[in-house]
Amino acid sequence: YENWHGLMAVGLGTVYIGFAALQHSRNAADELATLALAGVAASFLTVAIPLQFTGHWIAIAWSAESLLLVELGLRFRQPRLRWAGMGLLC
């Protein structure tokens, strides 16, 4: 199942995004739990890139992910998210 590792990591990331959305809808005041679940989802999505791609496609996918993190940080006014995107880009 070597060709499916990246897809499985994306699937787990999607599940944790769902958990974060469910937790936020049930208790919006507890931002730490929502951010923790979203962080786990982001970790799975980040790990999926080198599992699925090879060569220069890894750098291209990580560049796209860093752009997404910076954009989300700007949109939601979260400096830590912007710094994470810049760190990933470096």
Side-chain angles (χ1 to χ4, degrees):
Y1 300 105
E2 188 173 306
N3 294 332
W4 293 87
H5 289 169
L7 185 61
M8 286 187 257
V10 168
L12 284 171
T14 305
V15 167
Y16 274 94
I17 289 172
F19 286 156
L22 179 66
Q23 196 284 327
H24 183 70
S25 69
R26 288 178 166 249
N27 186 7
D30 189 8
E31 291 182 11
L32 185 60
T34 303
L35 288 175
L37 290 168
V40 171
S43 298
F44 275 118
L45 295 175
T46 301
V47 167
I49 292 170
L51 287 174
Q52 193 65 38
F53 298 116
T54 59
H56 66 280
W57 291 108
I58 294 172
I60 292 170
W62 273 341
S63 297
E65 183 179 2
S66 68
L67 176 67
L68 176 68
L69 287 175
V70 170
E71 171 64 29
L72 289 174
L74 290 171
R75 180 168 296 175
F76 294 115
R77 294 186 177 100
Q78 293 291 325
R80 290 182 184 171
L81 211 52
R82 290 190 301 249
W83 282 109
M86 290 299 205
L88 183 61
L89 187 60
C90 290

